[in-house]
């Protein structure tokens, strides 16, 4: 049984920890952030429900052919080798793997009268393994459609929405309210799984408005309106449809849980799958915050990295869902062991290094590993060796990987509402890329951070000394108020782009809602990126500000400190710039220009502000003879810095966050990190010196600090798949000592060594000689 600790004790521990080890942070740390997220007190000897004890997961995603070739004994051996505590077994939905009493519940083509789901469930239970029955329940074959034509989604012309040869069931129809509950009950009565998950529980996505009779009637009853005729983010009715669609998914979530618990007992939970990508969640009306509040366990279907966001994105996902759900809930994640991208090869092995690093990056962020094979028989058997070593390592070191709370002083603010109503149809560019740019820059600078939902600022930000707002255009008045209070208590802000220029519906405000803190004001139209006003037109509007232009390149001029409105001499005839530069410009001593690439427009800057960067407008790229600056100097700010008591505020109209995500220029990462350090008063709980790209996650456990370092340095750092791990090191690490104690012992869980530790002023220093894939430092 793992160690658990009560809330009260945890609070004291964290408060002491923060005060003792990060001197000065306590200026804003009235209540440590993590206390609010603490697990409920575990009293007496009561056993935790199964979904809090199942750490290692496996899934053989059964194909229709498998009933005639599923070697159950072999797979039982594989379960044992990989030490899984829970498995996901296909039960019903599109395809049934048992002889269902519902005549239209399509049996797998090769099932015959076999009850494969029942046999596998029995085998797993006999081996002491929990079973989650997998449903995939949003479409049917032709015969079902013909029997219940009024249960299916329809386009504006009344034609059914289809996916290949299947018909999409409407989420507002009796298919979800009557038929699926019957199937869930049948599965429970027959085979008694421990819970349910569902691959596509949320039904038809945002791209397709359903005009079936059920939707027409229910939307009218709920809102008094007819269904929107088309997607139009400025249309009040379309906005209502978006919110109404979200509410229905939440209703389905709760309905399914009522059904499964009533039939299978209080621990027979239903937990549909979710993506780690907020834009994907938005497109399918799965509100991550609502889901995390309701889910007993987060089932993440987020199987691989993509080249834009790297392995580090899985660490970010783990932190994001735990900050919403609490760090006591588990969040297993389906991890593809087949080649899953960019090319898709369901029965070929993913290179072991690539699969392994995705697993490790997730574990570092608090995710539990879950191997995933498609099909029960493979001629490429290399995939069977990938998960076992990771799972074995987890088992040995489990106590350092769960029941831990993160340590960070920097929060990155996000909200799905912003993805929807500010990002609209361009959220990948307008919302995701700026967030990703900060994620990459913080990882590169080895600055621990946590994703903070914009609704949770008051609750979670008190232990933070800096909140980053990466182009968070849409903020409600309440969210703005929470940010103002955070700053009033001494917390610093670093905002970019269109932050606070829009309300929660994406309607423009007359000025920044945070204009006093930004120490600058909107003048006319802001060129800073803003969303499209309708469907499809997004990239022209939003992209115009930041798309690389063949006809012009732009720059930011690096200035000595200037007070108030920039008033430099005219271009072309002045001596080189000289003077004392602001600390955010550290490392740029040898340049007066930084590459930028976007556009900026005028702002009116308060007299108390500093403007260390100004905009250099575009001039020709081709032919090279024309590549000279037509306007070397403007007074258009690229960065505005101001002090507000102990709070420091940086407002960066330039979208360097997004540009770093897209273009990967080191100058942009350096500048972002410099501003973060300045705004944080240089109070970052971790420093790591040494060469290499690494992702650092810092945690606290009672009497213990845990540092998880993931090596991202590889021959495929920015492009999957990874084939070869490359060793890096040595690293000199400085981190808080447990409870600020004057002595501490360290162990490296991978290297198996015990490096020497020196403690000065509550900060412990030690060396990691080298890291191949990852290392975990345990300081006690
Ligand atoms: Zn419908």
């Amino acid at each position: 049984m793992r160690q658990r600790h009560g809330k009260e004790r945890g609070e004291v521990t964290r408060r002491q920890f923060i005060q003792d080890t990060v001197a000065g942070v306590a200026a804003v740390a009235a209540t440590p952030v993590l206390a609010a997220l603490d697990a409920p007190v575990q009293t007496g000897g009561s056993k935790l429900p199964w979904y809090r004890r199942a750490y290692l997961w496996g899934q053989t995603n059964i194909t229709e052919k498998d009933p005639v070739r599923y070697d159950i004994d072999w797979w039982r051996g594989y379960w044992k080798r990989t030490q899984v505590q829970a498995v996901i077994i296909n039960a019903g939905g599109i395809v049934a793997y048992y002889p269902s009493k519902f005549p239209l519940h399509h049996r797998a083509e090769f099932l015959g009268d076999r009850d494969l789901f029942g046999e596998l469930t029995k085998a797993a239970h006999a081996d002491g393994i929990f079973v989650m029955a997998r449903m995939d329940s949003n479409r049917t074959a032709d015969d079902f459609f013909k029997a219940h034509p009024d249960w299916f989604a329809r386009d504006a012309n009344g034609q059914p929405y289809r996916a290949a040869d299947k018909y999409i069931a409407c989420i507002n129809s009796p298919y979800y309210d009557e038929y699926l509950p019957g199937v869930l009950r049948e599965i429970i009565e027959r085979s008694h799984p421990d819970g349910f998950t569902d691959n596509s529980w949320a039904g038809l996505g945002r791209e397709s408005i359903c005009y079936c009779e059920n939707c027409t009637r229910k939307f009218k009853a709920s809102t008094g309106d007819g269904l929107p005729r088309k997607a139009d983010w400025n249309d009040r009715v379309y906005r209502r449809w978006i919110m109404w669609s979200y509410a229905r998914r939440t209703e389905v979530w709760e309905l399914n849980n009522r059904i499964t618990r009533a039939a299978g007992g209080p621990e027979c939970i239903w937990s549909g799958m979710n993506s780690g990508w907020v834009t994907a969640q938005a497109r399918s009306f799965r509100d991550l915050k609502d889901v995390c509040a309701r889910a007993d366990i987060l089932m993440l279907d987020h199987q691989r990295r993509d080249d834009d966001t790297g392995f580090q994105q899985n660490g970010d996902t783990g932190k994001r869902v735990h900050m919403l759900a609490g760090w006591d809930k588990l969040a297993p994640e389906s991890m593809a062991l087949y080649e899953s991208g960019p090319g898709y090869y369901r029965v070929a092995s993913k290179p072991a290094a690539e699969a392994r690093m995705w697993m490790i990056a997730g574990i570092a962020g608090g995710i539990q590993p879950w191997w995933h094979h498609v099909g029960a028989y493979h001629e490429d058997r290399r995939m069977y060796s990938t998960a076992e070593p990771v799972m074995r390592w987890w088992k040995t070191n489990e106590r350092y990987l769960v029941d831990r709370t993160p340590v960070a002083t920097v929060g990155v603010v996000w909200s799905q509402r912003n993805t929807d109503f500010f990002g609209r149809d361009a959220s990948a560019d307008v919302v995701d890329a700026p967030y990703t740019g900060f994620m990459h820059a913080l990882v590169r600078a080895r600055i621990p951070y946590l994703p903070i939902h914009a609704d949770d600022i008051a609750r979670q930000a008190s232990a933070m000394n800096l909140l980053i707002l990466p182009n968070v255009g849409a903020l409600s008045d309440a969210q703005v108020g929470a940010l103002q209070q955070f700053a009033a208590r001494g917390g610093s802000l670093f905002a970019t782009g269109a932050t606070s220029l829009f309300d929660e519906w994406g309607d423009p405000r007359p000025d920044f809602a945070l204009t006093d803190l930004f120490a600058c004001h909107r003048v006319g139209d802001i060129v800073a990126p803003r969303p499209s006003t309708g469907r499809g037109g997004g990239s022209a509007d939003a992209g115009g500000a930041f798309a690389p232009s063949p006809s012009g390149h732009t720059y930011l001029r690096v200035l000595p400190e200037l007070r108030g409105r920039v008033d430099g001499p005219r271009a072309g005839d002045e001596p080189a710039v000289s003077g004392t530069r602001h600390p955010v410009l550290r490392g740029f001593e040898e340049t007066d220009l930084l590459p930028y690439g976007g556009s900026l427009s005028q702002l009116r800057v308060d007299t108390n502000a500093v403007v260390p960067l100004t905009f250099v407008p575009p001039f020709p790229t081709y032919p090279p003879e024309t590549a000279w600056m037509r306007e070397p100097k403007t007074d258009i700010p690229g960065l505005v810095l101001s002090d507000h008591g102990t709070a420091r505020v940086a407002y960066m109209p330039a979208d360097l966050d997004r540009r770093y995500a897209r273009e990967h220029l080191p100058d942009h990462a350096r500048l972002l990190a410099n501003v973060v350090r300045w705004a944080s008063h240089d109070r970052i709980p971790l420093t790591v010196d040494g060469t290499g790209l690494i992702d650092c996650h810092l945690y606290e456990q009672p009497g213990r600090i845990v540092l998880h370092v993931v090596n991202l340095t590889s021959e495929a750092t920015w492009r999957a798949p990874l084939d070869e791990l490359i060793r890096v090191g040595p690293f000199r690490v400085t981190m808080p000592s447990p409870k600020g104690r004057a002595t501490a012992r360290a162990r490296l869980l991978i290297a198996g060594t015990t490096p020497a530790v020196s403690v000065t002023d509550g900060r412990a220093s030690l060396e990691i000689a080298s890291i191949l894939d990852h290392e975990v430092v345990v300081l006690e």
Side-chain angles (χ1 to χ4, degrees), residues 170 210 212 215:
C170 173
C210 177
C212 81
C215 287

Coordinates of all heavy atoms in Angstrom, one line a residue, residues 170 210 212 215, ligand 1:
C170 N -26.7 10.3 -33.7 CA -26.8 11.6 -33.1 C -26.8 11.5 -31.6 O -27.5 10.7 -31.0 CB -28.1 12.3 -33.5 SG -28.3 13.9 -32.6
C210 N -25.7 19.1 -36.6 CA -26.7 18.1 -36.8 C -28.1 18.8 -36.8 O -28.4 19.5 -35.9 CB -26.7 17.0 -35.7 SG -28.0 15.8 -36.0
C212 N -31.0 17.0 -37.1 CA -32.0 15.9 -37.0 C -33.2 16.5 -36.1 O -33.1 17.5 -35.5 CB -31.4 14.7 -36.4 SG -31.2 14.7 -34.6
C215 N -32.2 17.1 -32.4 CA -31.5 18.3 -32.1 C -32.4 19.5 -32.3 O -32.3 20.5 -31.5 CB -30.3 18.4 -33.1 SG -29.0 17.2 -32.6
Ligands
LIG1 ZN1 -29.1 15.4 -34.1

